[in-house]
Amino acid sequence: MTFEHVENVQHVEETAVRRRDAAVRAAVERGLLSEAQPVVALLDTAGIRDSAARLRAAFAAVTDAPVLHAFAVKAAPLVPVLALLNAAGIGAEVASPGELALARAAGVPAERTVLDSPAKTPGELREALDAGIALNADNPQEVARLDALVAGRGALPPLGVRVNPQIGAGSIGALSTATATSKFGVALRDEGAREAVVRMYLDRPWLTRLHTHSGSQGVPLARMVEGVREVYALAEEINAAAGRRQVDTVDIGGGLPVNFASDEESPTYAEYARLLKDAVPGLLDGRYGLVTEFGRSLVAKHGAVLARVEYAKESGSRPIAITHAGVQVATRTVYAPASWPLRIAAYDGAGRPKTGTPVVQDVAGPACFAGDLLAEGRALPPLEQGDVVAALDTGAYYFSNHYGYNSLPRPAVYGYEGGSFALVRAAQSTAEIVAESGGAQADALL
Ligand SMILES: *Cc1c(COP(=O)(O)O)cnc(C)c1O
């Protein structure tokens, strides 16, 4: 890394921090955060756009072949976010009828949409084929379903099979998709599996893609690269056996990890693309188109949850700030704090960064169970009633993936840019909670 590059990266990060601090201040001043709305989520629109541009540039620098970047919708299932990414040249990777509907509502075209899911129904498969949406079959039974569905059709969308290179786990078991016994894809190293996959392709000229996704947060880059290398080798093997370029596109999945420890964005897309270029040059020499499916790395660092400190108390001489952000917006952190620690930033009641000698304290949420903690034993400036805390790096898989414990409402989400806010998702109202909880059927069980 050159000195200028370091300077430049630091500059980008400092700018993002300044933007965030200004947005917190403005959110408080404009009443986005209030007694009535004591928790709200913010997205840094410019930050998301920058990440999208960096992703595209990173791969354009290593291959001349077409690359479809499809955002993994589950990371931030919010229509305006999908539309923003679509406008930035990023499509959508969907894994359920709901996610497909979100991508369509955002205007993502069929040719930039990819359907992956381990449990697609015949109806979902038919709909994808009708709509011209690429899909990756998870297993031989799904391929057999496709046999029946593609028969007699004219033009087909790109179709592939997901394989599991069984390269092993990362540091978070629940997110490691390439273990020996993972539920995803065809396990390539199982007895006879590789030969069966090659046969599967030779028998079906309409299988033109190969897909893998080696896992998300916690899987080191080198292991992700190894997974891609395995899949590239399989593509070459299939094409050699077919005597033609049957597999024309390799879908390498997503999974670039996110740094939750500081404002630094690392690793970068550029680093990953360079590692791929070094380790799997044949994949990037222009013969293969690529699909990527990054989720968290595009949005995680651009989101924050703001919450008011309702009370500040002490228990067993441990100071505890009781806030409005807990398990409903930070489910993974609350249930698996060792795997998913979040940075907390402290602001005063006017939205100014808090100073003051840090003291070790807990930052708790509003839910009724003891483990509802955003941070335990964290050194922060002493938090007081009326202060604001921000849970950082929560743009992916946090506030967008609400958990309805205690009937706590989904908070509003705003995008911020240049001093103004745009509503992305309205807060869920109490009336909506009642309606979604069978309110219209109050007498159903009497
Ligand atoms: C979840 C998922 C992704 C995205 O993973 P990130 O870690 O958010 O980048 C991509 N592809 C598939 C198949 C997935 O299940």
Side-chain angles (χ1 to χ4, degrees), residues 74 95 116-120 136-142 161-166 168-169 173-188 190 211-215 332:
K74 72 177 186 285
D116 297 324
S117 141
K120 304 179 205 78
N136 294 303
D138 179 81
N139 58 65
Q141 291 181 347
E142 192 178 336
V161 175
R162 177 169 182 167
V163 294
N164 168 11
Q166 290 167 298
L175 268 71
S176 298
T177 48
T179 58
T181 57
S182 163
K183 74 170 181 177
F184 292 108
V186 178
L188 265 192
D190 283 11
H211 174 223
T212 194
H213 169 65
S214 295
R332 281 181 171 164

Side-chain angles (χ1 to χ4, degrees), residues 16-17 19-25 27 32-33 38-45 48 76 78 260 263 299-307 325 329-330 342-347 374 388-400 411-416 421 424-425:
V17 174
R19 285 201 301 263
R20 182 170 71 224
D21 284 347
V24 173
R25 183 84 189 265
L32 266 49
L33 193 67
V39 54
V40 70
L42 301 182
L43 281 169
D44 178 355
T45 310
I48 296 174
L78 297 165
F260 284 95
D263 282 300
V299 289
K301 300 211 68 77
H302 310 306
V305 177
L306 309 190
V329 288
L342 283 177
R343 292 185 295 145
I344 306 292
Y347 298 87
L374 277 186
V388 173
V389 293
L392 308 182
D393 309 321
T394 49
Y397 302 101
Y398 278 88
F399 53 77
S400 56
V413 179
Y414 293 90
Y416 62 90
F421 292 95
V424 169
R425 177 185 75 190

Side-chain angles (χ1 to χ4, degrees), residues 12 78 102 157 225 236 261 363 395 399 410 419 421:
V12 167
L78 297 165
L102 297 183
V225 169
E236 291 279 278
V363 181
F399 53 77
R410 288 188 287 270
F421 292 95

Side-chain angles (χ1 to χ4, degrees), residues 72 74-75 93 116 162 184 211 213 215-217 253-256 293-297 397:
K74 72 177 186 285
E93 186 263 354
D116 297 324
R162 177 169 182 167
F184 292 108
H211 174 223
H213 169 65
S216 298
Q217 194 68 20
L256 193 77
E293 305 171 341
F294 295 103
R296 80 180 69 248
S297 52
Y397 302 101

